[in-house]
């Protein structure tokens, strides 16, 4: 059965069972604590937590049989965590996730019944075995799922722990819960995890790492709207349905693999096709190669594919042909590929070209190292410093160095490389602190993020604007408004504050008017070092979530003519000296952040 038929059958099946068919969201998520979309549930996170109402937001016309809204989607997903596994039977960076979702509607019984029917009846596949959660100190064993699977005639039911069958949360907090997974045999007779059915019963107020380590002391909370979140890679399912040995032999990849010269190893072919496909999708969603965040992930994909292209002397038109075919094959389902066709190809080629010169030199440098190893010099592995040099001087991402080492039977010293990166970051950070007058400013303070001096100038203006915004919100909405979080990047300031409802357009306009008034008055910004207790007594605003040292800085913004204080806050800085430097301020967005907390995104001219 072809992949596009499987996709259609999935949407049809759940559509017929009361699910609204929802388009894939972008690979760039709304949630700023997550770099890329890794799962289908991310666009629905707010429906589980109760921040948004799925009735009004998903699809006003469709209702599930029980009167609850449900959704089904094929979500574009990306997992960097799997990048080193690409080339085996089942792993990819970019994949398409089939998923059905219930928000306070159906639960275990219906979810398992539908999954079973879809796999065994609609697709006619055999389930090899399923897993259930074995329980831990906070959550009991999932006996209900065992019973339900048994009732469907599935008898091989295996118990697993929290690492494998307890999903989530994504980002810094979110829905999570025990899961039951379906395994099927691929064309080689190997069992492959196909479908992850999550019972989102809990909310965890921390990251998955915190959940697994237990060290934070944070506890699972019962969620307002428990529901179901399932995820099944279309690529893996196609492998099962088409009885192939790997995902790359399915019709989702085979036509592109054929465009590559036969001499390449299977692993190289898979990596190239996976990376080029993933890059095309990232570019279509507006990601551009850079040294940070999602842009750096994209850069790594293009560079790794380019190294293999270079090492194997692949004719230059081949990548072009692959990109062309990917855009047109997938464009049927993802129109953004067609719309961005031109940009995808230009950006891909530009990055490849940019990397071209340094890549050739880097490969020469690596060959010299490899040769020295053959002659028995310098121990066996590529040392952390050597790897850092290839990374720093020639722009080689880690996985490229790993590949090169692997192909030359040299060990790669992961820990050594990480140590070298850390060591050099510390040196450069110390340099930056010195350069900026020892403000304690870091390139990433958690609150402020700037990569260079140009960005630093912008985030500094946004930072002072944030103090003005905080003060203006209190003047307009009342003194119950308190800061709940803040994050400033070169594009915008994001300010969270306690307030129980949406702001009216008039209130937003009034806040903007006050901030711009303070800017037009060119108020003076002064800094004073004070003992913590004295600063508290002075009435300076402080952020209650923060732990302050004994000595703090207090920044005051006041009208030099009247002497009237507009804002006074504890803060590490840096700030502009006069508010006139900020330029025009605008509130770009006001929205809910979590219960009782609103979020404003503000911009200044040039940000
Ligand atoms: N969120 C779960 C996963 O990504 C199921 O969709 O596996």
């Amino acid at each position: 059965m072809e992949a596009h038929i499987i996709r259609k059958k999935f949407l049809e099946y759940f559509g017929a069972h009361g699910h609204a068919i929802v388009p894939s969201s972008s690979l760039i998520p709304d949630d700023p604590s997550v770099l890329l979309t890794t799962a289908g549930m991310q666009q629905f996170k707010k429906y589980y937590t109760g921040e948004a109402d799925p009735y009004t937001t998903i699809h006003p016309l469709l209702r599930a049989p029980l009167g609850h809204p449900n959704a089904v989607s094929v979500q574009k997903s990306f997992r960097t965590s799997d990048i080193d596994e690409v080339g085996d039977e089942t792993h990819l960076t970019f994949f398409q996730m089939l998923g059905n979702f219930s928000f306070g509607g159906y639960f275990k019984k219906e979810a398992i019944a539908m999954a079973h029917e879809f796999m065994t009846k609609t697709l006619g596949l055999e389930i090899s075995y399923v897993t259930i959660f074995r329980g831990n100190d906070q959550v009991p064993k999932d006996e209900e799922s065992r019973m339900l699977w048994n009732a469907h005639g599935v008898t091989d039911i295996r118990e697993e722990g929290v690492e494998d069958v307890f999903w989530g949360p994504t980002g810094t907090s979110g829905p999570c819960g025990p899961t039951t997974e379906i395994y099927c045999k691929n064309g080689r007779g190997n069992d492959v995890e196909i479908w992850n059915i999550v019972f989102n019963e809990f909310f965890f107020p921390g990251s998955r790492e915190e959940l697994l380590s237990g060290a934070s002391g944070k506890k699972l909370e019962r969620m307002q709207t428990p529901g179901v979140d399932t995820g099944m890679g279309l690529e893996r399912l196609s492998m099962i349905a088409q009885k192939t040995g790997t995902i790359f032999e399915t019709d989702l990849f085979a036509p592109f693999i054929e465009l590559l010269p036969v001499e390449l190893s299977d692993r190289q072919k898979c990596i190239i096709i996976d990376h080029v496909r993933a890059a095309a999708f990232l570019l279509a969603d507006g990601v551009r190669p850079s040294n940070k965040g999602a842009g750096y992930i994209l850069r790594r994909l293009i560079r790794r594919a380019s190294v293999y292209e270079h090492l194997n002397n692949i004719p230059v038109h081949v990548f072009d042909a692959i990109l062309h075919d990917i855009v047109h094959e997938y464009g049927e389902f993802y129109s953004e590929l067609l719309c961005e066709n031109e940009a995808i190809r230009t950006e891909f080629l530009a990055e490849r070209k940019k990397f071209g010169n340094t890549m050739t030199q880097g490969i020469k440098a690596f060959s010299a190292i490899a040769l020295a190893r053959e002659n028995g010099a310098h121990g066996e592995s590529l040392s952390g410093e050597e790897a850092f040099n290839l990374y720093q001087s020639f722009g080689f991402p880690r996985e490229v160095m790993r590949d090169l080492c692997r192909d030359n039977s040299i060990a790669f010293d992961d820990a050594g490389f990480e140590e070298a990166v850390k060591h050099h970051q510390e040196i450069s950070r110390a340099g930056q602190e010195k350069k900026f007058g020892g403000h304690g400013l870091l390139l990433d303070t958690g609150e402020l993020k700037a990569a260079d001096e140009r960005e630093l100038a912008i985030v500094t203006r946004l930072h002072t604007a944030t103090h003005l915004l905080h003060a203006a919100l209190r003047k307009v909405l009342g003194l119950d408004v308190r800061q709940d979080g803040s994050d400033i990047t070169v594009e915008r300031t994001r300010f969270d504050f306690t307030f129980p409802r949406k702001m009216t357009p008039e209130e937003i306009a009034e806040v903007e008017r006050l901030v711009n008034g303070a800017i037009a008055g060119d108020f003076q910004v002064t800094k004073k070092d004070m003992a913590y207790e004295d600063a508290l007594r002075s009435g300076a605003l402080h952020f209650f979530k923060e732990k302050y040292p004994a000595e703090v800085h207090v920044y005051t913004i006041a009208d030099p003519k009247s002497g009237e204080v507009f804002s006074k806050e504890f803060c590490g800085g840096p700030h502009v000296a006069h508010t006139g430097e900020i330029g025009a301020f605008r509130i770009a967005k006001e929205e809910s952040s979590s219960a009782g907390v609103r979020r404003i995104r503000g911009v200044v001219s040039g940000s």
Side-chain angles (χ1 to χ4, degrees):
M1 191 184 294
E2 289 156 296
H4 73 94
I5 311 244
I6 299 176
R7 159 204 294 277
K8 192 162 152 263
K9 281 188 184 280
F10 187 81
L11 294 174
E12 272 172 10
Y13 177 88
F14 284 97
H17 287 76
H19 292 67
I21 299 175
V22 177
S24 171
S25 63
S26 164
L27 279 167
I28 308 172
D30 278 345
D31 181 350
S33 63
V34 192
L35 217 46
L36 290 170
T37 299
T38 58
M41 62 77 70
Q42 260 162 276
Q43 67 164 320
F44 304 124
K45 219 168 151 176
K46 52 187 180 288
Y47 303 131
Y48 293 108
T49 55
E51 276 171 82
D53 174 14
Y55 266 106
T56 46
T57 336
I58 288 189
H59 199 306
L61 299 178
L62 268 166
R63 295 283 182 273
L66 296 173
H68 285 281
N70 309 312
V72 58
S73 69
V74 184
Q75 174 65 47
K76 297 181 282 186
S77 307
F78 192 101
R79 294 192 177 170
T80 35
S81 52
D82 292 337
I83 198 164
D84 290 317
E85 258 72 58
V86 176
D88 69 3
E89 289 177 3
T90 55
H91 287 91
L92 295 162
T93 55
F94 168 83
F95 64 104
Q96 304 167 79
M97 193 189 262
L98 308 170
N100 56 291
F101 308 88
S102 134
F103 319 103
Y106 65 81
F107 205 48
K108 293 186 182 180
K109 183 164 172 245
E110 297 84 350
I112 289 177
M114 286 189 282
H116 181 261
E117 185 175 57
F118 180 74
M119 290 301 279
T120 59
K121 303 267 165 30
T122 313
L123 299 186
L125 300 174
E126 199 177 316
I127 293 177
S128 180
Y129 68 91
V130 298
T131 58
I132 58 161
F133 184 50
R134 75 158 65 96
N136 66 4
D137 54 345
Q138 292 192 62
V139 182
K141 182 185 288 195
D142 189 1
E143 289 295 356
E144 189 183 349
S145 291
R146 176 197 296 284
M147 217 182 63
L148 291 164
W149 281 119
N150 255 318
H152 289 292
V154 177
T155 47
D156 191 347
I157 301 172
R158 308 184 186 180
E159 293 177 12
E160 285 184 0
V162 72
E163 290 81 11
D164 297 305
V165 292
F166 193 97
W167 196 82
T170 56
T172 46
S173 67
C176 54
T179 83
T180 180
E181 298 166 323
I182 299 178
Y183 282 71
C184 295
K185 286 202 188 306
N186 70 3
R188 289 183 183 157
N190 294 335
D191 285 318
V192 178
E193 180 199 326
I194 290 298
W195 203 343
N196 189 18
I197 300 165
V198 183
F199 303 119
N200 264 328
E201 294 173 75
F202 301 101
F203 180 88
F204 187 69
S207 64
R208 176 156 179 89
E209 289 68 39
E210 288 175 292
L211 175 80
L212 290 179
S213 84
S216 67
K218 292 177 181 170
K219 292 267 172 274
L220 290 169
E221 299 159 10
R222 288 242 156 233
M223 209 152 46
Q224 284 186 21
T225 316
V228 174
D229 146 31
T230 87
M232 170 158 63
L234 175 61
E235 292 79 0
R236 285 193 188 183
L237 183 59
S238 302
M239 168 175 70
I240 305 300
Q242 295 170 19
K243 300 194 172 35
T244 61
T246 77
I247 37 184
F248 291 99
E249 291 159 39
T250 65
D251 64 341
L252 285 165
F253 293 98
F256 310 120
I257 301 255
E258 277 167 19
L259 297 174
L260 287 168
V262 284
E263 308 81 67
L264 267 71
S265 73
D266 283 347
R267 183 169 178 273
Q268 290 178 338
K269 288 181 189 165
C270 298
I271 291 173
I272 290 177
I273 300 299
D274 169 81
H275 285 19
V276 174
R277 184 175 85 138
F281 274 90
L282 288 173
L283 286 162
D285 275 346
V287 181
R288 293 292 174 262
S290 79
N291 282 337
K292 278 190 304 190
Y296 187 55
I297 294 174
L298 172 60
R299 169 162 281 170
R300 283 161 57 193
L301 297 172
I302 300 178
R303 291 189 171 191
R304 193 178 186 199
S306 303
V307 168
Y308 277 144
E309 183 190 25
H310 175 86
L311 289 175
N312 292 289
N313 296 317
I314 300 178
V316 70
H317 60 83
V318 172
F319 273 23
D320 221 12
I322 296 172
L323 270 178
H324 172 275
D325 286 8
I326 286 174
V327 163
H328 289 89
E329 279 290 318
Y330 286 95
E332 187 185 341
F333 309 105
Y334 303 98
S335 57
E336 60 276 23
L337 288 167
L338 295 172
C339 297
E340 297 301 318
N341 182 19
E342 197 58 37
I344 294 171
R345 296 169 74 184
T346 329
E347 291 284 342
F348 191 101
L349 299 183
E351 173 63 21
R352 191 169 57 157
K353 197 160 164 220
K354 194 166 171 189
F355 182 47
N357 276 340
T358 45
M359 171 175 64
T360 326
Q361 289 171 25
I363 287 176
K364 272 196 201 132
F366 180 84
S367 304
I369 296 172
L371 196 67
R373 290 295 182 281
E374 271 175 29
N375 297 334
H378 309 304
E380 296 208 329
S381 63
L382 184 74
S383 75
E385 274 301 318
E386 282 170 330
F388 182 79
N389 187 38
L390 289 170
Y391 162 80
Q392 173 93 336
S393 313
F394 306 109
F396 278 22
R398 176 200 301 242
E399 48 282 355
V400 165
M401 295 185 283
R402 276 226 188 101
D403 291 339
L404 291 171
C405 285
R406 186 186 168 121
D407 294 346
N408 287 275
S409 309
I410 297 174
F412 180 72
D413 181 3
D414 252 308
F417 174 64
E418 240 153 59
E419 222 166 82
V421 171
K422 224 164 99 195
H423 175 67
H424 286 270
Q425 267 170 355
E426 272 159 20
I427 294 175
S428 107
R429 185 171 297 155
Q432 293 286 352
E433 280 182 17
K434 219 160 129 214
K435 200 148 129 204
F436 297 122
H439 278 305
L441 171 76
L442 302 178
L443 292 181
D444 182 353
T445 63
E447 190 188 10
L448 295 177
K449 293 174 186 66
D452 54 33
E453 282 179 69
R454 184 192 70 85
E455 290 194 6
L456 181 70
I458 300 174
V459 296
T460 305
R461 287 161 53 219
L462 279 163
H463 191 195
T464 312
T466 309
H467 280 218
L468 295 176
L469 170 67
H470 189 186
L473 285 168
R474 287 167 60 86
K475 290 182 208 299
V476 175
L477 304 177
L479 299 183
D480 286 341
V481 166
R482 309 282 301 183
Q483 176 178 354
D484 193 66
S486 152
D487 178 77
I488 301 172
T489 66
V490 71
E491 278 96 26
R492 47 95 184 121
T493 171
R494 199 188 69 208
F495 187 73
D496 292 351
F497 59 99
T498 52
F499 192 61
R501 61 164 172 82
K502 192 165 178 53
M503 288 172 71
T504 64
E506 293 74 27
E507 286 166 341
I508 292 178
E510 181 60 7
V511 169
E512 283 179 335
R513 197 187 63 77
L514 285 178
V515 172
N516 284 313
I519 292 170
D522 201 18
F523 292 178
Q524 203 172 8
V525 183
T526 48
K527 176 181 138 188
K528 198 168 167 197
D529 294 344
M530 296 173 86
Y532 174 75
E533 296 297 332
D534 293 342
L536 272 187
R537 269 193 294 273
S538 80
L541 296 180
H542 54 284
F543 182 24
F544 61 93
K545 285 186 183 168
E546 181 95 36
K547 295 258 174 299
Y548 288 98
E551 174 104 336
V552 295
H553 308 313
V554 171
Y555 278 86
T556 304
I557 306 177
D559 183 346
K561 290 194 205 99
S562 64
E564 197 185 319
V565 172
F566 190 89
S567 141
K568 194 172 187 184
E569 282 197 37
F570 285 38
C571 183
H575 284 282
V576 299
H578 291 271
T579 55
E581 294 170 44
I582 296 172
F585 171 83
R586 185 168 62 81
I587 293 179
K589 200 168 184 187
E590 191 271 347
E591 61 190 345
S592 157
S593 165
S594 59
V597 178
R598 308 294 303 173
R599 168 167 290 181
I600 279 182
R601 284 170 211 268
V603 293
V604 294
S605 33
S607 69

